[in-house]
Amino acid sequence: MELLRLSRAAKRLGVHPVTLRLWADSGKIPVTWVGRERRFSSVDVEAMKVTSGADRVRLEALYVRVSGTSGQESSLTAQEEELRATSSGEIVRVFKDRSSGLREDRPGLNRLLRLVADGSVTVVRVTHEDRLARFGVRWLKQLFAVYGVTLEVLHPKRLGGREELLEDFVSLVTTFAGRLYGMRSADARRRLLTESRQCHDGGEGR
C-alpha cells in the first residue's frame, strides 16, 4: 500500500484536488494525516475509481442564450432542441438567458453556477462556447472542474453572427460610458462639497 499526496491521488482519480478534498471532508474517502498533510491510501483510491466509474450518473445541465431581450425565441428553441437531441444522460434542468454574453450577472448563468456548486449536475452542455460567455470561458471551466463538472461544447470554435457581435459591442460601450459618467458625476459632487466647505470655512474666518 502506498500513501499518496492529495495532488497525486486526485490525478489518479481524474478529479480536481479541491473535489478530492471535499470528498475527504464529507467522509466519502478515508484520509491519513501525516503531520498537517493529507495522504490517501492507493488501495482506497483504486476502490474509489471503480465505485465512481460504476455509480457516477451523467446529470446534464443545458444552457442556452440569445443577446436580445425580446424575440429570437426560435434561436433559444433551436439550441435547446439540438442539445436535447444529442443528450446521453439525464437532463436535470435547462437554463436560459436573454442577455449579452459580455454580462457576468445573468439570472440563468447564476442559477446554473449554484446548481454546479451544490453537486446536482456532472456536465454542463452548450451548443457553442460563446453561448456561455464571450470571454472567460477558461475560468468557468476551471470553476466547474473544482466541483467535478465538465463543460461540453457541441460545436467548438464558433463566433456569433454580425448582429450579435454588434449588440455585444454596443453593450460594452454603454457599460463603460455609464461607468465613466458615474465617475465624472462623483468627481463633480466631490468638487462641489469641497468648494462649499471652503466657502463655509472662509466665511467663518472673516
Side-chain angles (χ1 to χ4, degrees), residues 12-13 15 23 27-30 42-58 122:
R12 281 199 188 183
L13 287 166
V15 299
W23 287 356
K28 194 173 179 179
I29 185 171
S42 57
V43 174
D44 292 331
V45 169
E46 291 303 315
M48 190 74 179
K49 279 173 69 175
V50 174
T51 305
S52 298
D55 298 341
R56 189 170 172 84
V57 179
R58 183 181 169 89
T122 59

Side-chain angles (χ1 to χ4, degrees), residues 87-101:
S87 171
S88 58
E90 178 187 344
I91 297 174
V92 176
R93 194 167 170 186
V94 180
F95 297 91
K96 302 179 181 181
D97 272 318
R98 296 171 179 82
S99 177
S100 167

Side-chain angles (χ1 to χ4, degrees), residues 84-138:
R84 285 186 179 278
T86 54
S87 171
S88 58
E90 178 187 344
I91 297 174
V92 176
R93 194 167 170 186
V94 180
F95 297 91
K96 302 179 181 181
D97 272 318
R98 296 171 179 82
S99 177
S100 167
L102 294 170
R103 281 193 58 186
E104 296 175 350
D105 188 20
R106 286 175 259 148
L109 180 60
N110 289 338
R111 288 193 292 270
L112 169 63
L113 293 177
R114 284 195 291 269
L115 204 68
V116 166
D118 68 22
S120 299
V121 297
T122 59
V123 183
V124 173
R125 300 184 67 237
V126 294
T127 56
H128 300 86
E129 195 172 89
D130 63 4
R131 296 304 85 200
L132 189 62
R134 285 294 186 186
F135 305 106
V137 173
R138 183 167 62 91

Side-chain angles (χ1 to χ4, degrees), residues 26-188:
S26 65
K28 194 173 179 179
I29 185 171
V31 181
T32 299
W33 288 91
V34 178
R36 299 176 64 182
E37 191 175 334
R38 301 170 194 254
R39 298 290 174 90
F40 299 86
S41 160
S42 57
V43 174
D44 292 331
V45 169
E46 291 303 315
M48 190 74 179
K49 279 173 69 175
V50 174
T51 305
S52 298
D55 298 341
R56 189 170 172 84
V57 179
R58 183 181 169 89
L59 303 174
E60 299 181 3
L62 311 183
Y63 181 78
V64 298
R65 182 188 64 80
V66 291
S67 283
T69 55
S70 61
Q72 302 184 48
E73 293 300 322
S74 59
S75 178
L76 280 176
T77 302
Q79 290 176 52
E80 181 177 346
E81 287 178 350
E82 189 173 16
L83 290 170
R84 285 186 179 278
T86 54
S87 171
S88 58
E90 178 187 344
I91 297 174
V92 176
R93 194 167 170 186
V94 180
F95 297 91
K96 302 179 181 181
D97 272 318
R98 296 171 179 82
S99 177
S100 167
L102 294 170
R103 281 193 58 186
E104 296 175 350
D105 188 20
R106 286 175 259 148
L109 180 60
N110 289 338
R111 288 193 292 270
L112 169 63
L113 293 177
R114 284 195 291 269
L115 204 68
V116 166
D118 68 22
S120 299
V121 297
T122 59
V123 183
V124 173
R125 300 184 67 237
V126 294
T127 56
H128 300 86
E129 195 172 89
D130 63 4
R131 296 304 85 200
L132 189 62
R134 285 294 186 186
F135 305 106
V137 173
R138 183 167 62 91
W139 301 111
L140 287 172
K141 284 181 182 177
Q142 290 184 4
L143 175 63
F144 293 167
V146 167
Y147 296 102
V149 175
T150 56
L151 172 66
E152 288 186 359
V153 181
L154 205 55
H155 306 295
K157 295 183 180 179
R158 175 259 191 189
L159 291 174
R162 184 179 298 177
E163 259 185 45
E164 185 163 0
L165 287 172
L166 181 59
E167 286 179 7
D168 283 344
F169 175 73
V170 171
S171 174
L172 185 63
V173 171
T174 303
T175 300
F176 276 102
R179 289 179 180 176
L180 183 61
Y181 178 77
M183 288 167 61
R184 286 176 176 172
S185 298
D187 288 341

